[in-house]
Amino acid sequence: MKPLFLNPPTFEDFDGGAGSRYQAAREVRSFWYPTWLCYPAGMIPGSRVVDAPVQRFDINDCLNIAKDFDMVVMFTSTPTLALDTETARRIKDQKPSTVIVLTGPQVTILPEESLRQGVGIIDVVCRGEFDYAIKELCEGRNWESIEGISFLKDNKYYATPDRPILTDLDSLPFVSQVYKRDLPISEYIIPHFKSPYISIYTSRGCPAKCTFCLWPQTYAGQKMRTRSPENVYEEVKWITENLPELRDLSFDDDTFSADTRHARAVAELIKPLGISWVINARANCDFETLKIMRDAGLHHVIVGYESGNEQILKNIKKGVTRERATQFTKDCRTLGLTIHGAFIMGLPGETKETIKDTIEYAKQLDLDSIQVSLASPYPGTEFWNECQKEGWLASENYIDNTGHQMCVVNYPHLSNQEIFDSVERFYKKFYFRPKYIARSIGKMIVNSEERKKLIKEGKQYLDYMKKRKQN
């Protein structure tokens, strides 16, 4: 079978590829690559990847494309399962022989429920990593012999044995080659990256135990598996030779710095290539590793601080103290590395006072940019189990009808509305500081490109906040 790997149409500015964070419309236009879909696409002749939100394809565009394929594979999420199932129905109505496959954390945790929600529409769900499961489906193997899939047959639920996690990551294709073949690289934008950029993985899984984090608990596992540094080097070398327009490379691993030996080895190998790159890092990465990476071209880190309250950090099993995170931030400053900090409002233990503490903490850190999300307990996470046990879930609707995050947790001492309102307050307190405004004006004065970028992002942010309030 010839497969279409589809990131389906959804809400305006909805970033479904945001991974272990939260799938939702973004404050500023922001799109990650559909990396998981691109791995099997690179292994199957005749495949194609379509990223409808980025390519601005509507449902009719996707239906027209899908006509030429025998199978459609979609990576779905908890917030968009119903919407994605409707897209699948349209594809099935058009060509009933099309095999529809859903992948991702939601269907991994709730495979039977997902299938029954899409009876007559969804043919197969893949549990966990699906690279080789999709390949074997396309080869025409008997479904009962393919590990890691679930399906309905005569309305009876079947689940084949779990597929062992993939340890030989070097056996996978270079996703960058699939990007070049199928995707409009210039349309992918992360505001705090240089554009154009691309992202690749050098590992899968994360050894951290954060209770809220989606992928490690539900999908990729909490055991970190790495590509060989030599294999990473070969892909980065291919990128430099075939994508000369590239200005930034993102190592979008859950935590690139978790295995410091691997991080250092990759840095040393790619150093002669002279590229500019960014990583997701934990705030406990040591100074020497940061320096080795900086010297090899690292210029920017994305860090999950989550909260400025020590007890909340313990509650979510962050494994990094506020003091350590503060030192990490100082180390990055010393090395000239910029930081994008991620924070979450509404984690267990949150109060009006802890919200104030976290906002003040972010201001003290004086980061280059921030993202503030609402705590969302997805099925399969320890946070979800805790919310179920304590009766904290106020709703099962993670997003509103325009794709913006809703607050689904409601504590006896802190309402979901108070948590929701704290996000806008956080952004205003951080970005409307005289120090931050002065720094931004300075950048705009000396750099016309930066001026255009900041004005554009400022407008997008204000539009986002307006829509968020209305819904």
Side-chain angles (χ1 to χ4, degrees), residues 32-100:
W32 293 93
Y33 284 83
T35 309
W36 287 102
L37 292 176
C38 292
Y39 279 112
M43 296 190 285
I44 303 170
S47 69
R48 178 179 174 182
V49 178
V50 167
D51 194 347
V54 175
Q55 294 172 290
R56 296 180 174 83
F57 291 161
D58 62 19
I59 184 61
N60 292 321
D61 296 323
C62 294
L63 289 172
N64 189 49
I65 293 168
K67 289 178 183 177
D68 297 328
F69 294 87
D70 310 302
M71 175 187 290
V72 174
V73 182
M74 293 192 290
F75 191 99
T76 190
S77 66
T78 301
T80 63
L81 178 61
L83 184 63
D84 297 340
T85 300
E86 174 60 18
T87 297
R89 184 192 65 78
R90 297 282 299 275
I91 294 170
K92 200 81 164 179
D93 286 348
Q94 168 185 268
K95 184 179 173 184
S97 63
T98 306
V99 176
I100 304 291

Side-chain angles (χ1 to χ4, degrees), residues 166-184:
L166 183 62
T167 55
D168 181 13
L169 300 188
D170 287 4
S171 67
L172 295 171
F174 292 167
V175 288
S176 52
Q177 295 177 348
V178 179
Y179 297 163
K180 182 176 174 62
R181 184 192 75 183
D182 290 345
L183 300 175

